[in-house]
């Protein structure tokens, strides 16, 4: 179907496709650097993995250097309509120096900032509280040892400083998202003490005020991880309360709840108590498996909530998945485009019709409309969106993804 016919079909429902396309084009998605190299990073000294985060698979072409990662990112962005962001982790520093985590400075990230300026994209940041000898107990900010807590507090402070400088340099606030792996494999006897230590460490870490135009603090909860099955110190309730009391952003990762919980449902609930939200859009399969996101019901519902609850202005969309069994660049492209496709579908819903049906308790109409809408020509509007940004679709996209993957396959 042509775009003009699709436009007319949506107009019959009172939906303006041009408004939807303009809106969609203005929504940045923060693409996570760690899909490009299986969450390995570029440190030379720490070396240990852990924290329960592992990519599985051994597809050829993993980015081994910052230059390779940037080349892969540039290719991925060129396959995705719109202008997006890059979400960096502290372990992705680009320097000949070998600072430990409590020694990092913005100078270690200058090439990233220069590159982001060049690309016209914003940066987000994360302190890295895993893959380090001092995180081997799966305890960092809540460790009983004051020395270990202090080490990680210093890392967190420095990360905030780096993020603030990134935000200032790029003219767009950098979100500094805090996730710690802290927890216990087996049932702890003193959950309260662990949580009190985490809270105190966070308080110290976040004590220095920063300009919100440069840096925004976010905290990310989790249900469980490999090795911390019995208790996660930074649980949802812990961080929800913390974020509300301290005025930080709350990060909702779609893999960090019970598998049958509907994360989309949480947006309007937490938005009443919080100014801003950060999303880690992910696809848990049976557990927090971080599969590449599909155009699945979960993602569609998330996008629909963002639009219908009018939360796009205060929700930052970040992605969090990593799959090393397929082309890593294709994973970025497919996942990011799926997030955009979901947003487009949400922006094309006849929300006024649905709202009036719902407020009149006419649930029959609500159901009929949503189901009839599944046959609407969303694809034609998406094709128009990609055409306007000169990004390929269908077989051309597959060819481009293949071509790039072949060019990196011999990296070893
Ligand atoms: C871990 C969290 C966290 C990480 C990244 C790499 O379970 O989801 O967001 O995936 O920081
Ligand atoms: Zn996450």
């Amino acid at each position: 179907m042509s775009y003009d016919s699709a436009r007319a079909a949506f107009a019959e429902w009172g939906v303006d496709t041009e408004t939807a396309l303009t809106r969609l084009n203005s929504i940045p998605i923060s693409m996570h650097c760690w899909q490009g190299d299986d969450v390995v990073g570029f440190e030379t000294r720490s070396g240990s993995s852990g924290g329960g985060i592992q990519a599985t698979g051994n597809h050829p072409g993993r980015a081994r250097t910052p230059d390779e990662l940037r080349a892969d990112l540039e290719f991925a962005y060129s396959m995705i309509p719109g202008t997006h962001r890059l979400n960096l982790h502290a372990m992705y520093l680009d320097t000949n120096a070998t600072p430990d985590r409590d020694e990092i400075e913005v100078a270690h990230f200058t090439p990233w900032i220069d590159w982001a300026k060049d690309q016209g994209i914003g940066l987000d940041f994360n302190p890295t509280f895993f893959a380090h000898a001092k995180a081997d107990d799966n305890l960092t900010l809540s460790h009983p040892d004051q020395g270990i807590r202090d080490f990680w507090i210093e890392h967190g402070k420095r990360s905030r400083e780096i993020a603030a400088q990134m935000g200032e340099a790029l003219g767009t606030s950098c979100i500094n998202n805090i996730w710690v792996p802290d927890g216990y494999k087996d049932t702890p006897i003193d959950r309260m003490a662990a949580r009190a230590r985490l809270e105190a460490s966070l308080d110290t870490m976040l004590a220095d005020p920063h300009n919100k135009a440069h840096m925004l603090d976010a905290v990310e909860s989790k249900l469980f991880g490999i090795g911390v099955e019995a208790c996660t110190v930074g649980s949802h309730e812990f961080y929800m309360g913390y974020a509300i009391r301290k005025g930080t952003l709350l990060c909702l990762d779609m893999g960090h709840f019970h598998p049958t919980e509907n994360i989309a449902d949480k947006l309007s609930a937490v938005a009443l108590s919080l100014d801003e939200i950060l999303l880690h859009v992910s696809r848990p399969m049976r557990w927090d498996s971080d599969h590449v996101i599909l155009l699945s019901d979960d993602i569609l519902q998330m996008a629909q909530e963002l639009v219908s609850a009018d939360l796009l202005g205060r929700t930052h969309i970040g992605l969090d998945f990593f799959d090393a069994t397929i082309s890593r660049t294709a994973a970025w492209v497919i996942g990011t485009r799926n997030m955009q496709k979901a947003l487009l579908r949400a922006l094309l819903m006849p929300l006024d019709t649905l709202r009036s049906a719902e407020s009149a308790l006419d649930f029959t109409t609500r159901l009929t409309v949503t189901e009839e809408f599944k046959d609407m020509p969303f694809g034609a509007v998406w094709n128009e969106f990609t055409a306007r940004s000169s990004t390929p679709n269908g077989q051309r996209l597959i060819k481009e993804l293949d071509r790039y993957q072949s060019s990196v396959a011999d990296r070893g």
Side-chain angles (χ1 to χ4, degrees):
M1 184 188 265
S2 73
Y3 172 64
D4 284 339
S5 317
R7 185 177 177 173
F10 281 101
E12 277 181 37
W13 288 86
V15 174
D16 181 16
T17 54
E18 285 300 312
T19 309
L21 289 178
T22 308
R23 191 90 196 273
L24 182 60
N25 202 41
S26 73
I27 305 173
I29 295 172
S30 194
M31 234 165 68
H32 50 314
C33 72
W34 53 93
Q35 162 59 55
D37 79 327
D38 312 342
V39 211
V40 173
F42 304 123
E43 287 172 320
T44 41
R45 56 188 290 160
S46 55
S48 78
S49 65
I53 302 188
Q54 296 117 325
T56 37
N58 193 23
H59 205 75
R62 189 181 79 77
R64 298 156 304 175
T65 64
D67 283 336
E68 287 182 352
L69 189 58
R70 283 189 284 265
D72 292 356
L73 283 161
E74 282 178 32
F75 166 71
Y77 287 129
S78 76
M79 297 289 107
I80 300 164
T83 305
H84 300 285
R85 302 174 66 85
L86 176 67
N87 194 6
L88 269 181
H89 239 284
M91 72 197 311
Y92 287 80
L93 73 190
D94 183 359
T95 173
N96 290 326
T98 55
D100 203 348
R101 297 271 173 89
D102 62 342
E103 297 166 335
I104 54 167
E105 293 170 9
V106 72
H108 304 136
F109 296 88
T110 308
W112 283 111
I113 298 174
D114 293 344
W115 175 80
K117 241 183 229 163
D118 213 52
Q119 301 286 310
I121 64 170
L123 291 177
D124 294 307
F125 199 67
N126 306 257
T128 310
F129 291 99
F130 53 88
H132 189 283
K134 289 198 164 74
D136 279 352
D137 298 320
N138 277 332
L139 293 168
T140 62
L141 293 178
S142 75
H143 203 291
D145 181 312
Q146 172 89 52
I148 292 187
R149 291 204 300 281
D150 287 345
F151 173 85
W152 290 114
I153 289 169
E154 184 61 24
H155 176 59
K157 283 184 170 185
R158 283 168 180 260
S159 294
R160 291 180 81 226
E161 183 60 40
I162 292 164
Q165 297 203 37
M166 284 176 166
E168 186 172 11
L170 297 169
T172 166
S173 196
C174 175
I175 300 184
N176 185 58
N177 179 52
I178 300 160
W179 172 76
V180 296
D182 295 38
Y184 295 95
K185 183 177 177 74
D186 221 331
T187 312
I189 202 68
D190 202 346
R191 296 167 194 261
M192 181 62 105
R195 292 196 162 120
R197 287 193 296 265
L198 177 56
E199 176 178 60
S201 295
L202 287 167
D203 284 352
T204 312
M205 220 172 94
L206 302 180
D208 292 343
H210 276 280
N211 185 340
K212 288 197 175 192
H214 300 159
M215 194 273 298
L216 293 166
D217 295 297
V219 289
E220 179 179 2
S221 68
K222 187 159 171 170
L223 177 64
F224 87 103
I226 302 290
V228 294
E229 288 84 355
C231 169
T232 291
V233 183
S235 59
H236 175 57
E237 291 74 8
F238 175 92
Y239 279 126
M240 170 110 187
Y242 193 85
I244 292 171
R245 282 183 291 126
K246 308 287 172 166
T248 70
L249 276 69
L250 181 68
C251 174
L252 298 173
D253 183 310
M254 292 174 75
H256 291 191
F257 294 86
H258 284 278
T260 59
E261 273 185 87
N262 177 3
I263 318 307
D265 176 68
K266 299 178 190 300
L267 288 175
S268 51
V270 302
L272 290 173
S273 299
L274 294 164
D275 289 339
E276 295 184 55
I277 300 166
L278 172 63
L279 289 181
H280 272 188
V281 183
S282 193
R283 178 164 58 106
M285 194 182 285
R286 305 186 194 282
W287 70 292
D288 183 27
S289 60
D290 289 298
H291 281 73
V292 178
I293 61 168
L294 307 180
L295 190 57
S296 60
D297 284 352
D298 287 353
I299 309 293
L300 288 165
Q301 284 177 24
M302 188 64 102
Q304 195 167 306
E305 278 303 312
L306 288 172
V307 172
S308 69
D310 195 19
L311 290 172
L312 280 169
R314 53 194 184 105
T315 307
H316 306 262
I317 304 174
L319 307 178
D320 189 3
F321 52 78
F322 31 97
D323 188 342
T325 66
I326 59 174
S327 161
R328 294 171 185 79
T329 43
W332 265 325
V333 173
I334 294 164
T336 311
R337 285 168 60 118
N338 277 339
M339 187 68 231
Q340 291 185 296
K341 285 184 187 180
L343 288 164
L344 177 61
R345 288 191 183 214
L347 292 165
L348 290 171
M349 287 305 277
L351 288 178
D352 293 340
T353 308
L354 290 165
R355 273 204 193 96
S356 35
E358 186 166 282
S359 53
L361 305 190
D362 181 359
F363 304 137
T364 311
T365 297
R366 189 184 60 188
L367 186 63
T368 318
V369 171
T370 54
E371 294 315 288
E372 282 299 295
F373 241 69
K374 288 181 178 166
D375 292 323
M376 289 295 280
F378 295 108
V381 184
W382 171 258
N383 288 346
E384 178 68 12
F385 186 58
T386 55
R388 287 184 193 180
S389 65
S390 308
T391 47
N393 263 334
Q395 307 217 7
R396 265 189 54 222
L397 175 66
I398 294 168
K399 243 198 194 141
E400 288 292 315
L401 294 176
D402 263 5
R403 185 188 55 74
Y404 191 80
Q405 174 58 32
S406 314
S407 76
V408 300
D410 61 0
R411 276 178 186 168

